[in-house]
């Protein structure tokens, strides 16, 4: 028995060493510069935001929205939805926003667990976050978190391709991000582009250590290079804001006991080959995902939970000096005064009803109110939750924010660069 015990420990140690040796490298070995895709002359955020829902509240759970601009200026959004997180019925859902009509299309399921299983040839236990990329040739790629066994720490990234702007998808491959085991890679935040046509995909790892990384993915969906973002082991979900061909900053969700309640920050000055050690950004955050966009060099917007404790607010902050100073610009939600999870249900539902009243195209007797009551009210009371923002600026200068609204819907905040002929109210 003792021999077997030591043999098992030995095998475990070898596996651990092999895993650590197989962790992604720390620096890109080639150096194509970033493409800084700023939109000239649209660098103000003043104006009336319009609020809508991208999802229809027909599924019990929705989470982790992303989006991409289509060639005609419409948006296609993606998120995962099902009976609960990790359930077998969770799929990737999608809808399309037409700015001219000021409306989202009906929600559809575009990728299923069985579809990936059939293409991949292995069991798929659950699906998670999905991030799209639209190539110049019209091909759309979707990077999806898929788990065959275990929890999110055992995730892999699979790639699907679409030639009809995201209506239908074909499985391509699973990314090989590590030579050993090749697990524990997740995606959440928007990709960036390099000048040679490759895509920079910010990812993060959750097994043993938690850290961010930039994968450079070629047109054939093979990884060309990778670079560690920062050098800690307690920071995930890097949001990368590109300033110039060689300059970018990453903000990371803080999972560490150091600088608790603050976003981490790391910088690169050589096109992502090397990133500075993680430091506190000075921005309060309760270890929750952050979204954002670089409007011009040094002029950035961040959308995040702007307190260090809970996800019961959601605000936009602006800097014009590369993050040395920040200004609170907009609170999409601020329910910190009702924190505690014991808010009486009728009062809570009245406040949710006020948010529905401020949402274009929604009336209170639609399923949103019932869905929120189901997801956010418990025996001791109710609580608010607004999280997982995803932000883009479209080619005409419009700003778009998608986020999870009380675990019950994907909400859309839209700031047109110019007021449309048709549209909703703020």
């Amino acid at each position: 028995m003792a021999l077997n015990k030591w043999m098992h420990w030995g095998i475990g140690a070898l596996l651990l060493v092999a895993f650590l040796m197989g962790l992604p490298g720390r620096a890109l070995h080639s150096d194509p510069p970033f493409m800084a895709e700023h939109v000239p002359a649209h660098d103000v955020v003043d104006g009336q935001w319009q609020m809508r829902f991208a999802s229809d509240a027909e599924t019990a759970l929705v989470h982790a929205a992303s989006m991409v601009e289509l060639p005609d200026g419409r948006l296609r959004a993606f998120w995962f939805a099902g009976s609960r997180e990790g359930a077998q019925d969770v799929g990737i859902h999608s809808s399309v926003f037409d700015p001219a009509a000021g409306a989202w299309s009906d929600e559809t399921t575009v990728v299923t667990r069985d579809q990936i299983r059939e293409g991949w040839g292995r069991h798929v236990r659950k699906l998670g976050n999905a991030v799209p990329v639209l190539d110049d040739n019209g091909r759309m790629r979707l990077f999806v978190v898929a788990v065959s066994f275990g929890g999110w720490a055992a995730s892999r990234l699979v790639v699907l391709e679409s030639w009809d702007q995201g209506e239908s998808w074909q499985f391509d491959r699973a990314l090989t991000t590590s030579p050993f085991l090749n697990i524990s890679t997740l995606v959440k935040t928007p990709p960036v582009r390099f000048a040679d046509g490759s895509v920079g995909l910010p990812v993060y790892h959750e097994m043993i250590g938690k850290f961010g990384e930039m994968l450079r993915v070629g047109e054939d969906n093979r990884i060309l290079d990778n670079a560690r973002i920062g050098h800690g082991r307690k920071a995930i979900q890097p949001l990368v804001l590109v300033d110039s061909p060689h300059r970018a900053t990453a903000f990371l969700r803080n999972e560490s006991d150091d600088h608790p309640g603050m976003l981490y920050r790391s910088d690169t000055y050589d096109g992502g080959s090397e990133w500075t050690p993680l430091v506190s950004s000075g921005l309060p955050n309760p270890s929750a995902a952050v979204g954002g966009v670089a409007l011009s060099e040094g002029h950035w917007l961040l959308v995040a939970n702007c307190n260090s404790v809970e996800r019961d607010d959601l605000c936009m902050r602006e800097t014009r000096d590369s993050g040395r100073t920040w200004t609170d610009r907009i609170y999409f939600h601020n329910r910190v005064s009702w924190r505690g999870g014991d808010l009486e249900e009728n009062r809570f539902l009245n406040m949710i009803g006020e948010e529905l009243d401020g949402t274009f195209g929604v009336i209170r007797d639609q399923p949103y109110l019932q869905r929120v009551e189901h997801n956010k009210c418990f025996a001791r009371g109710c609580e608010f939750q607004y999280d997982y923002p995803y932000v883009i600026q479209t080619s005409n200068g419009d700003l778009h924010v998608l986020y999870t609204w009380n675990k019950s819907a994907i909400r859309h905040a839209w700031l047109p660069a110019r007021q449309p002929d048709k549209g909703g109210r703020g």
Side-chain angles (χ1 to χ4, degrees):
M1 292 294 291
L3 179 61
N4 286 338
K5 177 182 177 182
W6 284 108
M7 182 175 68
H8 290 156
W9 276 104
I11 292 173
L14 288 173
L15 289 172
L16 178 60
V17 170
F19 174 78
L20 294 174
M21 292 179 65
L23 287 177
R26 292 176 177 271
L28 294 176
H29 302 297
S30 54
D31 56 353
F34 292 125
M35 288 185 65
E37 301 176 291
H38 304 143
V39 180
H42 295 287
D43 62 348
V44 297
V45 296
D46 296 321
Q48 186 176 21
W49 289 79
Q50 301 183 16
M51 310 300 291
R52 292 173 174 78
F53 286 118
S55 62
D56 58 17
E58 294 294 335
T59 47
L61 169 88
V62 297
H63 198 35
S66 59
M67 60 184 147
V68 64
E69 182 182 9
L70 301 177
D72 61 4
R74 295 179 300 156
L75 301 179
R76 179 173 282 280
F78 302 92
W79 61 91
F80 72 81
S83 57
R84 58 176 175 78
E85 185 169 322
Q88 294 190 353
D89 64 352
V90 167
I92 306 301
H93 290 213
S94 181
S95 62
V96 174
F97 179 65
D98 182 353
W104 286 90
S105 68
D106 291 339
E107 175 181 340
T108 60
T109 304
V110 293
V111 177
T112 67
R113 187 174 60 93
D114 289 340
Q115 178 183 352
I116 292 179
R117 175 183 56 78
E118 292 170 3
W120 195 5
R122 66 171 58 189
H123 174 67
V124 176
R125 180 169 174 261
K126 59 183 180 180
L127 300 181
N129 304 348
V131 169
V133 176
L134 181 62
D135 299 326
D136 292 339
N137 62 2
R139 177 185 61 167
M140 189 181 292
R141 288 181 277 178
L142 194 65
F143 297 89
V144 181
V145 172
V147 178
S148 293
F149 63 90
W152 293 123
S155 298
R156 293 183 65 177
L157 285 182
V158 299
V159 191
L160 296 95
E161 295 186 344
S162 171
W163 290 93
D164 55 11
Q165 299 185 353
E167 293 185 11
S168 63
W169 292 91
Q170 296 78 46
F171 180 88
D172 183 70
R173 68 180 67 236
L175 292 185
T176 302
T177 60
S178 169
F180 183 77
L181 291 181
N182 191 32
I183 58 174
S184 192
T185 306
L186 301 93
V187 67
K188 158 64 182 76
T189 48
V192 301
R193 295 183 184 276
F194 288 97
D196 66 350
S198 58
V199 170
L201 190 66
V203 301
Y204 58 102
H205 302 265
E206 289 195 347
M207 179 172 284
I208 302 178
K210 297 183 177 182
F211 58 91
E213 187 184 32
M214 173 81 82
L215 304 178
R216 191 164 69 85
V217 182
E219 295 182 357
D220 60 357
N221 293 325
R222 297 181 187 276
I223 296 177
L224 304 174
D225 244 325
N226 57 64
R228 187 83 161 261
I229 298 177
H231 301 284
R233 287 192 172 274
K234 292 290 185 180
I236 60 174
Q237 297 177 343
L239 169 73
V240 177
L241 303 181
V242 173
D243 252 356
S244 68
H246 299 287
R247 171 81 175 82
T249 295
F251 292 92
L252 299 97
R253 174 176 163 180
N254 185 346
E255 296 280 285
S256 171
D257 293 333
D258 299 328
H259 310 295
M262 293 284 180
L263 284 172
Y264 270 131
R265 171 178 177 161
S266 177
D267 297 88
T268 180
Y269 302 94
D270 56 6
S273 294
E274 297 281 354
W275 293 81
T276 60
L278 297 174
V279 296
S280 172
S281 68
L283 296 173
N285 181 264
S287 185
V290 59
V293 64
L295 299 180
S296 59
E297 186 170 347
H299 184 192
W300 310 332
L301 302 176
L302 285 185
V303 177
N305 300 110
C306 292
N307 72 91
S308 61
V309 181
E310 295 288 352
R311 301 180 182 185
D312 49 12
D313 67 359
L314 192 72
C315 92
M316 172 176 281
R317 288 190 165 119
E318 180 180 29
T319 177
R320 291 178 178 268
D321 55 12
S322 301
R324 286 186 289 276
T325 60
W326 293 87
T327 302
D328 290 354
R329 295 303 304 267
I330 301 159
Y331 268 83
F332 297 107
H333 301 279
N334 191 354
R335 300 298 195 184
V336 298
S337 298
W338 291 271
R339 182 175 298 162
D342 55 356
L343 181 60
E344 191 271 328
E345 183 169 323
N346 286 336
R347 187 175 186 186
F348 171 80
L349 293 178
N350 283 333
M351 297 170 73
I352 291 295
E354 293 170 359
E355 295 182 7
L356 293 176
D357 291 340
T359 306
F360 181 77
V362 173
I363 54 178
R364 291 196 185 199
D365 61 358
Q366 288 184 295
Y368 297 98
L369 193 64
Q370 293 76 22
R371 187 64 68 197
V372 174
E373 181 181 18
H374 171 78
N375 286 330
K376 301 305 298 179
C377 288
F378 312 96
R380 61 186 176 89
C382 306
E383 60 188 14
F384 299 96
Q385 182 176 339
Y386 314 98
D387 55 0
Y388 268 62
Y390 195 98
V391 185
I392 67 169
Q393 185 183 31
T394 49
S395 55
N396 67 349
D398 291 3
L399 290 169
H400 298 271
V401 182
L402 294 178
Y403 60 93
T404 304
W405 181 77
N406 291 303
K407 297 178 68 175
S408 303
I410 301 300
R411 205 163 197 231
H412 173 214
W414 174 34
L415 179 63
R418 298 178 180 84
Q419 289 299 312
D421 295 332
K422 298 178 181 179
R425 60 194 172 193

